[in-house]
Amino acid sequence: MQRRTLLAALAATLAVTVLPASAQSPRLKVGFMLPYSGTYAALGDAIEKGFRLYVAEQGGRLGGREIEYVKVDDESDPAKATDNVNKLIKRDNVDVLVGTVHSGVAMAMAKAAKDNGTLLIIPNAGAVAVTGPMCAQNIFRSSFSNWQPGYAMGEVAAKRGARKVVTITWKYAAGDESVGGFKEAFEKAGGQVVKELSLPFPNVEFQPLLTEIAAIKPDAVYTFFAGGGAVKFVKDYAAAGLKNTIPLYGAGFLTDGTLEAQGADAQGLLTTLHYGDGLDNAKDRAFRASYQKAYSAVPDVYAVQGYDAAQMLAIGLNAVKGDISKQADFAKALEAAKIDSPRGTFTIGPSHNPVQDIYLRQVAGRDNKVIGVATKALADPGRGCKM
Ligand code: PHB
């Protein structure tokens, strides 16, 4: 070894031994585990863009620490999830996990986060379990529980006079729980879910199921689909001649980030979600302008959830002055926070899921126009969560 290299190496070793914990590694490593391929690819991309935008607006640092990124494509495949999350935790030594979209993958991430004590912020996946029986001090969600938009739509459908409803979705946690929320509110209000149709994720052979719906002739249909699958479902529903005869109600993912591809077939559809177009608050206006400038694109709900995941990380990190090992203080700060989101201000409930307004939206052109608040300050029940 040359003398100068040797000195440099010595200096580096000294720096590591002498400096206090928070200064040892000035960079904070964020591990994105998101779908960059498959039916949810566009969702993963929007989440990453939203997250990076907030960090860039803060000059690349949160809680005094420079942010660096590593990423893994989880392919929305639960079978690969444990291996993928362990790459980020054990190989890349990330300080924070940010992911994911698919509920089945998120449950594997939550288990690994719990086992290893790694901070996890979920920027989409609504799996009820992660803020239910699996809830933990180091696990947070910036998005929603699958139950929330479904529950809000159950109330809306009943108010609009539907009595007999058929549901149709993908057979996995997100679909089951979205339908579960809908059914809970709808049947409480006197309605009845007469048939629950489903197909495996991410299949899109909807035709036989649409034929069954036409034969049953319900007052309305409730659905959860998202991403590429949602585009195809809305088009197939219209092509089957059902759009003008049986109202289609959905969790808002049905028409979010998808309207360009759905075109005329989506016009007029009613959905419920915690974000929408035309909210007209200062934060949303600034966010949209900033996103447009950075990416030449209009943000959707996924971009908002990514942005807010970064805001939540900032709130926690500021409270512990960048020392992410102080998990109790990090959690306390978020539990007390009012998060100034483009969706409107929201808080984090005791199970670490957002407490937020769920809007009623109607598709008009390229917009999911907000036409009212379906349910105000809706909290997931957090059933089975013991912190
Ligand atoms: C989920 O798997 O929880 C999920 C996926 C896509 C969405 C919403 C929820 O748009």
Side-chain angles (χ1 to χ4, degrees), residues 300-328:
D300 56 18
V301 69
Y302 308 105
V304 171
Q305 293 167 175
Y307 189 84
D308 289 341
Q311 289 212 71
M312 286 168 62
L313 179 58
I315 290 167
L317 279 178
N318 284 334
V320 297
K321 300 194 168 49
D323 183 355
I324 203 148
S325 69
K326 294 191 172 147
Q327 288 189 351

PDB file of all heavy atoms in Angstrom, residues 300-328:
ATOM      1  N   ASP A 300     -50.733  11.314  -9.532  1.00  0.00           N
ATOM      2  CA  ASP A 300     -51.934  10.579  -9.141  1.00  0.00           C
ATOM      3  C   ASP A 300     -51.841  10.243  -7.645  1.00  0.00           C
ATOM      4  O   ASP A 300     -50.925  10.704  -6.951  1.00  0.00           O
ATOM      5  CB  ASP A 300     -52.099   9.312 -10.005  1.00  0.00           C
ATOM      6  CG  ASP A 300     -50.869   8.412  -9.948  1.00  0.00           C
ATOM      7  OD1 ASP A 300     -50.044   8.556  -9.022  1.00  0.00           O
ATOM      8  OD2 ASP A 300     -50.721   7.553 -10.847  1.00  0.00           O
ATOM      9  N   VAL A 301     -52.753   9.417  -7.176  1.00  0.00           N
ATOM     10  CA  VAL A 301     -52.775   9.092  -5.741  1.00  0.00           C
ATOM     11  C   VAL A 301     -51.468   8.424  -5.302  1.00  0.00           C
ATOM     12  O   VAL A 301     -50.996   8.630  -4.183  1.00  0.00           O
ATOM     13  CB  VAL A 301     -54.005   8.207  -5.397  1.00  0.00           C
ATOM     14  CG1 VAL A 301     -53.885   6.817  -6.002  1.00  0.00           C
ATOM     15  CG2 VAL A 301     -54.204   8.110  -3.890  1.00  0.00           C
ATOM     16  N   TYR A 302     -50.853   7.645  -6.177  1.00  0.00           N
ATOM     17  CA  TYR A 302     -49.628   6.920  -5.810  1.00  0.00           C
ATOM     18  C   TYR A 302     -48.474   7.899  -5.598  1.00  0.00           C
ATOM     19  O   TYR A 302     -47.668   7.735  -4.686  1.00  0.00           O
ATOM     20  CB  TYR A 302     -49.296   5.871  -6.880  1.00  0.00           C
ATOM     21  CG  TYR A 302     -50.504   4.992  -7.162  1.00  0.00           C
ATOM     22  CD1 TYR A 302     -51.260   5.139  -8.326  1.00  0.00           C
ATOM     23  CD2 TYR A 302     -50.925   4.049  -6.223  1.00  0.00           C
ATOM     24  CE1 TYR A 302     -52.391   4.368  -8.570  1.00  0.00           C
ATOM     25  CE2 TYR A 302     -52.050   3.276  -6.447  1.00  0.00           C
ATOM     26  CZ  TYR A 302     -52.787   3.436  -7.626  1.00  0.00           C
ATOM     27  OH  TYR A 302     -53.904   2.690  -7.845  1.00  0.00           O
ATOM     28  N   ALA A 303     -48.405   8.922  -6.454  1.00  0.00           N
ATOM     29  CA  ALA A 303     -47.375   9.955  -6.294  1.00  0.00           C
ATOM     30  C   ALA A 303     -47.557  10.679  -4.958  1.00  0.00           C
ATOM     31  O   ALA A 303     -46.580  10.965  -4.255  1.00  0.00           O
ATOM     32  CB  ALA A 303     -47.451  10.944  -7.451  1.00  0.00           C
ATOM     33  N   VAL A 304     -48.803  10.948  -4.590  1.00  0.00           N
ATOM     34  CA  VAL A 304     -49.087  11.611  -3.311  1.00  0.00           C
ATOM     35  C   VAL A 304     -48.621  10.741  -2.144  1.00  0.00           C
ATOM     36  O   VAL A 304     -47.998  11.216  -1.196  1.00  0.00           O
ATOM     37  CB  VAL A 304     -50.606  11.914  -3.183  1.00  0.00           C
ATOM     38  CG1 VAL A 304     -50.952  12.397  -1.776  1.00  0.00           C
ATOM     39  CG2 VAL A 304     -51.026  12.953  -4.217  1.00  0.00           C
ATOM     40  N   GLN A 305     -48.916   9.454  -2.219  1.00  0.00           N
ATOM     41  CA  GLN A 305     -48.536   8.539  -1.126  1.00  0.00           C
ATOM     42  C   GLN A 305     -47.015   8.430  -0.995  1.00  0.00           C
ATOM     43  O   GLN A 305     -46.493   8.291   0.116  1.00  0.00           O
ATOM     44  CB  GLN A 305     -49.153   7.161  -1.381  1.00  0.00           C
ATOM     45  CG  GLN A 305     -50.676   7.190  -1.285  1.00  0.00           C
ATOM     46  CD  GLN A 305     -51.373   5.946  -1.820  1.00  0.00           C
ATOM     47  OE1 GLN A 305     -52.564   5.837  -1.697  1.00  0.00           O
ATOM     48  NE2 GLN A 305     -50.645   5.012  -2.422  1.00  0.00           N
ATOM     49  N   GLY A 306     -46.298   8.484  -2.120  1.00  0.00           N
ATOM     50  CA  GLY A 306     -44.834   8.464  -2.079  1.00  0.00           C
ATOM     51  C   GLY A 306     -44.301   9.742  -1.455  1.00  0.00           C
ATOM     52  O   GLY A 306     -43.404   9.716  -0.595  1.00  0.00           O
ATOM     53  N   TYR A 307     -44.874  10.870  -1.865  1.00  0.00           N
ATOM     54  CA  TYR A 307     -44.493  12.184  -1.333  1.00  0.00           C
ATOM     55  C   TYR A 307     -44.707  12.221   0.180  1.00  0.00           C
ATOM     56  O   TYR A 307     -43.841  12.642   0.949  1.00  0.00           O
ATOM     57  CB  TYR A 307     -45.352  13.232  -2.039  1.00  0.00           C
ATOM     58  CG  TYR A 307     -44.990  14.665  -1.790  1.00  0.00           C
ATOM     59  CD1 TYR A 307     -43.978  15.294  -2.521  1.00  0.00           C
ATOM     60  CD2 TYR A 307     -45.677  15.431  -0.851  1.00  0.00           C
ATOM     61  CE1 TYR A 307     -43.664  16.629  -2.319  1.00  0.00           C
ATOM     62  CE2 TYR A 307     -45.380  16.763  -0.641  1.00  0.00           C
ATOM     63  CZ  TYR A 307     -44.373  17.362  -1.381  1.00  0.00           C
ATOM     64  OH  TYR A 307     -44.067  18.690  -1.178  1.00  0.00           O
ATOM     65  N   ASP A 308     -45.870  11.704   0.610  1.00  0.00           N
ATOM     66  CA  ASP A 308     -46.196  11.732   2.035  1.00  0.00           C
ATOM     67  C   ASP A 308     -45.368  10.723   2.838  1.00  0.00           C
ATOM     68  O   ASP A 308     -45.101  10.952   4.024  1.00  0.00           O
ATOM     69  CB  ASP A 308     -47.694  11.502   2.246  1.00  0.00           C
ATOM     70  CG  ASP A 308     -48.521  12.708   1.800  1.00  0.00           C
ATOM     71  OD1 ASP A 308     -47.943  13.805   1.678  1.00  0.00           O
ATOM     72  OD2 ASP A 308     -49.733  12.553   1.556  1.00  0.00           O
ATOM     73  N   ALA A 309     -44.948   9.639   2.224  1.00  0.00           N
ATOM     74  CA  ALA A 309     -44.045   8.709   2.911  1.00  0.00           C
ATOM     75  C   ALA A 309     -42.748   9.431   3.256  1.00  0.00           C
ATOM     76  O   ALA A 309     -42.199   9.284   4.363  1.00  0.00           O
ATOM     77  CB  ALA A 309     -43.758   7.486   2.042  1.00  0.00           C
ATOM     78  N   ALA A 310     -42.250  10.251   2.325  1.00  0.00           N
ATOM     79  CA  ALA A 310     -41.023  11.031   2.578  1.00  0.00           C
ATOM     80  C   ALA A 310     -41.275  12.099   3.640  1.00  0.00           C
ATOM     81  O   ALA A 310     -40.425  12.340   4.503  1.00  0.00           O
ATOM     82  CB  ALA A 310     -40.525  11.658   1.284  1.00  0.00           C
ATOM     83  N   GLN A 311     -42.450  12.739   3.586  1.00  0.00           N
ATOM     84  CA  GLN A 311     -42.787  13.734   4.626  1.00  0.00           C
ATOM     85  C   GLN A 311     -42.814  13.079   5.999  1.00  0.00           C
ATOM     86  O   GLN A 311     -42.361  13.663   6.979  1.00  0.00           O
ATOM     87  CB  GLN A 311     -44.194  14.301   4.398  1.00  0.00           C
ATOM     88  CG  GLN A 311     -44.378  15.208   3.232  1.00  0.00           C
ATOM     89  CD  GLN A 311     -45.455  16.264   3.538  1.00  0.00           C
ATOM     90  OE1 GLN A 311     -45.221  17.158   4.336  1.00  0.00           O
ATOM     91  NE2 GLN A 311     -46.609  16.140   2.906  1.00  0.00           N
ATOM     92  N   MET A 312     -43.369  11.869   6.076  1.00  0.00           N
ATOM     93  CA  MET A 312     -43.447  11.177   7.368  1.00  0.00           C
ATOM     94  C   MET A 312     -42.051  10.825   7.872  1.00  0.00           C
ATOM     95  O   MET A 312     -41.739  10.971   9.057  1.00  0.00           O
ATOM     96  CB  MET A 312     -44.327   9.929   7.237  1.00  0.00           C
ATOM     97  CG  MET A 312     -45.816  10.279   7.138  1.00  0.00           C
ATOM     98  SD  MET A 312     -46.881   8.902   6.629  1.00  0.00           S
ATOM     99  CE  MET A 312     -46.615   7.744   7.967  1.00  0.00           C
ATOM    100  N   LEU A 313     -41.199  10.382   6.965  1.00  0.00           N
ATOM    101  CA  LEU A 313     -39.817  10.079   7.345  1.00  0.00           C
ATOM    102  C   LEU A 313     -39.140  11.342   7.884  1.00  0.00           C
ATOM    103  O   LEU A 313     -38.425  11.300   8.895  1.00  0.00           O
ATOM    104  CB  LEU A 313     -39.051   9.517   6.136  1.00  0.00           C
ATOM    105  CG  LEU A 313     -37.581   9.176   6.364  1.00  0.00           C
ATOM    106  CD1 LEU A 313     -37.401   8.148   7.486  1.00  0.00           C
ATOM    107  CD2 LEU A 313     -36.930   8.656   5.069  1.00  0.00           C
ATOM    108  N   ALA A 314     -39.401  12.468   7.235  1.00  0.00           N
ATOM    109  CA  ALA A 314     -38.795  13.735   7.674  1.00  0.00           C
ATOM    110  C   ALA A 314     -39.271  14.125   9.067  1.00  0.00           C
ATOM    111  O   ALA A 314     -38.465  14.545   9.910  1.00  0.00           O
ATOM    112  CB  ALA A 314     -39.137  14.839   6.669  1.00  0.00           C
ATOM    113  N   ILE A 315     -40.564  13.972   9.321  1.00  0.00           N
ATOM    114  CA  ILE A 315     -41.114  14.336  10.637  1.00  0.00           C
ATOM    115  C   ILE A 315     -40.450  13.494  11.731  1.00  0.00           C
ATOM    116  O   ILE A 315     -40.000  14.005  12.758  1.00  0.00           O
ATOM    117  CB  ILE A 315     -42.654  14.146  10.648  1.00  0.00           C
ATOM    118  CG1 ILE A 315     -43.310  15.212   9.764  1.00  0.00           C
ATOM    119  CG2 ILE A 315     -43.209  14.202  12.070  1.00  0.00           C
ATOM    120  CD1 ILE A 315     -44.777  14.946   9.448  1.00  0.00           C
ATOM    121  N   GLY A 316     -40.361  12.181  11.483  1.00  0.00           N
ATOM    122  CA  GLY A 316     -39.738  11.287  12.464  1.00  0.00           C
ATOM    123  C   GLY A 316     -38.268  11.598  12.652  1.00  0.00           C
ATOM    124  O   GLY A 316     -37.772  11.697  13.790  1.00  0.00           O
ATOM    125  N   LEU A 317     -37.550  11.791  11.548  1.00  0.00           N
ATOM    126  CA  LEU A 317     -36.097  12.045  11.618  1.00  0.00           C
ATOM    127  C   LEU A 317     -35.785  13.373  12.294  1.00  0.00           C
ATOM    128  O   LEU A 317     -34.811  13.476  13.052  1.00  0.00           O
ATOM    129  CB  LEU A 317     -35.488  12.039  10.207  1.00  0.00           C
ATOM    130  CG  LEU A 317     -35.181  10.686   9.582  1.00  0.00           C
ATOM    131  CD1 LEU A 317     -34.635  10.878   8.173  1.00  0.00           C
ATOM    132  CD2 LEU A 317     -34.182   9.888  10.433  1.00  0.00           C
ATOM    133  N   ASN A 318     -36.604  14.376  12.034  1.00  0.00           N
ATOM    134  CA  ASN A 318     -36.372  15.668  12.686  1.00  0.00           C
ATOM    135  C   ASN A 318     -36.508  15.542  14.196  1.00  0.00           C
ATOM    136  O   ASN A 318     -35.742  16.146  14.949  1.00  0.00           O
ATOM    137  CB  ASN A 318     -37.344  16.731  12.155  1.00  0.00           C
ATOM    138  CG  ASN A 318     -36.941  17.220  10.762  1.00  0.00           C
ATOM    139  OD1 ASN A 318     -35.766  17.156  10.393  1.00  0.00           O
ATOM    140  ND2 ASN A 318     -37.899  17.699   9.995  1.00  0.00           N
ATOM    141  N   ALA A 319     -37.486  14.719  14.626  1.00  0.00           N
ATOM    142  CA  ALA A 319     -37.716  14.560  16.067  1.00  0.00           C
ATOM    143  C   ALA A 319     -36.538  13.874  16.761  1.00  0.00           C
ATOM    144  O   ALA A 319     -36.287  14.112  17.938  1.00  0.00           O
ATOM    145  CB  ALA A 319     -39.000  13.782  16.308  1.00  0.00           C
ATOM    146  N   VAL A 320     -35.821  13.000  16.044  1.00  0.00           N
ATOM    147  CA  VAL A 320     -34.696  12.269  16.668  1.00  0.00           C
ATOM    148  C   VAL A 320     -33.341  12.785  16.162  1.00  0.00           C
ATOM    149  O   VAL A 320     -32.316  12.149  16.329  1.00  0.00           O
ATOM    150  CB  VAL A 320     -34.810  10.739  16.423  1.00  0.00           C
ATOM    151  CG1 VAL A 320     -36.080  10.196  17.073  1.00  0.00           C
ATOM    152  CG2 VAL A 320     -34.793  10.398  14.923  1.00  0.00           C
ATOM    153  N   LYS A 321     -33.377  13.960  15.525  1.00  0.00           N
ATOM    154  CA  LYS A 321     -32.163  14.608  14.983  1.00  0.00           C
ATOM    155  C   LYS A 321     -31.357  13.650  14.111  1.00  0.00           C
ATOM    156  O   LYS A 321     -30.129  13.575  14.200  1.00  0.00           O
ATOM    157  CB  LYS A 321     -31.304  15.165  16.109  1.00  0.00           C
ATOM    158  CG  LYS A 321     -32.046  16.205  16.946  1.00  0.00           C
ATOM    159  CD  LYS A 321     -31.103  16.992  17.827  1.00  0.00           C
ATOM    160  CE  LYS A 321     -31.751  18.211  18.447  1.00  0.00           C
ATOM    161  NZ  LYS A 321     -33.051  17.953  19.099  1.00  0.00           N
ATOM    162  N   GLY A 322     -32.064  12.867  13.313  1.00  0.00           N
ATOM    163  CA  GLY A 322     -31.389  11.993  12.361  1.00  0.00           C
ATOM    164  C   GLY A 322     -30.975  10.638  12.911  1.00  0.00           C
ATOM    165  O   GLY A 322     -30.497   9.792  12.165  1.00  0.00           O
ATOM    166  N   ASP A 323     -31.167  10.432  14.222  1.00  0.00           N
ATOM    167  CA  ASP A 323     -30.760   9.147  14.825  1.00  0.00           C
ATOM    168  C   ASP A 323     -31.921   8.151  14.771  1.00  0.00           C
ATOM    169  O   ASP A 323     -32.738   8.065  15.687  1.00  0.00           O
ATOM    170  CB  ASP A 323     -30.306   9.376  16.271  1.00  0.00           C
ATOM    171  CG  ASP A 323     -29.799   8.085  16.914  1.00  0.00           C
ATOM    172  OD1 ASP A 323     -29.905   7.003  16.261  1.00  0.00           O
ATOM    173  OD2 ASP A 323     -29.308   8.151  18.046  1.00  0.00           O
ATOM    174  N   ILE A 324     -31.937   7.394  13.681  1.00  0.00           N
ATOM    175  CA  ILE A 324     -33.071   6.525  13.391  1.00  0.00           C
ATOM    176  C   ILE A 324     -33.202   5.357  14.366  1.00  0.00           C
ATOM    177  O   ILE A 324     -34.225   4.674  14.404  1.00  0.00           O
ATOM    178  CB  ILE A 324     -32.963   6.048  11.917  1.00  0.00           C
ATOM    179  CG1 ILE A 324     -34.333   5.641  11.392  1.00  0.00           C
ATOM    180  CG2 ILE A 324     -31.947   4.935  11.770  1.00  0.00           C
ATOM    181  CD1 ILE A 324     -34.500   5.892   9.945  1.00  0.00           C
ATOM    182  N   SER A 325     -32.183   5.148  15.192  1.00  0.00           N
ATOM    183  CA  SER A 325     -32.269   4.051  16.171  1.00  0.00           C
ATOM    184  C   SER A 325     -33.232   4.398  17.313  1.00  0.00           C
ATOM    185  O   SER A 325     -33.663   3.526  18.063  1.00  0.00           O
ATOM    186  CB  SER A 325     -30.877   3.731  16.730  1.00  0.00           C
ATOM    187  OG  SER A 325     -30.434   4.806  17.529  1.00  0.00           O
ATOM    188  N   LYS A 326     -33.588   5.676  17.438  1.00  0.00           N
ATOM    189  CA  LYS A 326     -34.508   6.081  18.519  1.00  0.00           C
ATOM    190  C   LYS A 326     -35.954   5.869  18.066  1.00  0.00           C
ATOM    191  O   LYS A 326     -36.691   6.819  17.802  1.00  0.00           O
ATOM    192  CB  LYS A 326     -34.267   7.542  18.880  1.00  0.00           C
ATOM    193  CG  LYS A 326     -32.891   7.759  19.491  1.00  0.00           C
ATOM    194  CD  LYS A 326     -32.786   9.149  20.086  1.00  0.00           C
ATOM    195  CE  LYS A 326     -31.494   9.303  20.852  1.00  0.00           C
ATOM    196  NZ  LYS A 326     -30.963  10.662  20.778  1.00  0.00           N
ATOM    197  N   GLN A 327     -36.351   4.609  17.987  1.00  0.00           N
ATOM    198  CA  GLN A 327     -37.642   4.288  17.366  1.00  0.00           C
ATOM    199  C   GLN A 327     -38.845   4.753  18.171  1.00  0.00           C
ATOM    200  O   GLN A 327     -39.867   5.128  17.596  1.00  0.00           O
ATOM    201  CB  GLN A 327     -37.721   2.783  17.088  1.00  0.00           C
ATOM    202  CG  GLN A 327     -36.812   2.389  15.922  1.00  0.00           C
ATOM    203  CD  GLN A 327     -37.030   0.953  15.472  1.00  0.00           C
ATOM    204  OE1 GLN A 327     -37.735   0.184  16.101  1.00  0.00           O
ATOM    205  NE2 GLN A 327     -36.404   0.611  14.357  1.00  0.00           N
ATOM    206  N   ALA A 328     -38.750   4.733  19.480  1.00  0.00           N
ATOM    207  CA  ALA A 328     -39.909   5.156  20.291  1.00  0.00           C
ATOM    208  C   ALA A 328     -40.186   6.641  20.091  1.00  0.00           C
ATOM    209  O   ALA A 328     -41.345   7.052  19.931  1.00  0.00           O
ATOM    210  CB  ALA A 328     -39.659   4.846  21.762  1.00  0.00           C
TER     211      ALA A 328
END
